[in-house]
Amino acid sequence: MWDKLGNVSENVLAGYLQSEYPQTAAVILSKIKPSHAAKVMCLMPEQASTEIMNRMLKMEVVQRDILDTIEDSLRNEFMSNLVRTAQKD
């Protein structure tokens, strides 16, 4: 899942993460390539990106069950978007 997020445009990912809790966004951004995460954070409001960055810096090890839940949510969100896009085409 994390590799696939590298293929999601920075604008789409930034828009999605703005509606998430800062801690959740921090976990997601910490799991993708740093260069992609940096581009995403540049597109977010300064206050949000600062909060997420601070949480990333202070983050401890994330439990596997929490990562699984986040992965499932991301898979469902982005797969449903792909289905909607395909239907519009």
Side-chain angles (χ1 to χ4, degrees):
M1 184 68 219
W2 305 115
D3 289 336
K4 291 178 184 177
L5 278 181
N7 297 324
V8 174
S9 85
E10 290 89 1
N11 288 325
V12 170
L13 194 51
Y16 175 77
L17 292 177
Q18 287 182 55
S19 65
E20 292 294 322
Y21 289 110
Q23 187 64 36
T24 304
V27 170
I28 293 169
L29 289 173
S30 72
K31 293 293 185 181
I32 64 175
K33 290 182 182 178
S35 59
H36 192 60
K39 291 175 187 174
V40 170
M41 290 184 70
C42 285
L43 296 171
M44 299 176 82
E46 185 177 348
Q47 184 178 1
S49 62
T50 301
E51 177 68 22
I52 292 167
M53 189 180 309
N54 284 330
R55 288 175 182 264
M56 288 172 76
L57 291 170
K58 296 176 185 177
M59 189 182 311
E60 296 181 13
V61 176
V62 180
Q63 296 175 1
R64 185 71 228 167
D65 59 329
I66 293 172
L67 281 176
D68 290 342
T69 302
I70 292 172
E71 286 180 29
D72 288 341
S73 296
L74 289 169
R75 196 172 293 111
N76 290 335
E77 177 65 28
F78 288 105
M79 289 307 290
S80 67
N81 282 341
L82 286 175
V83 169
R84 277 185 254 140
T85 302
Q87 288 174 347
K88 289 178 185 176
D89 291 344

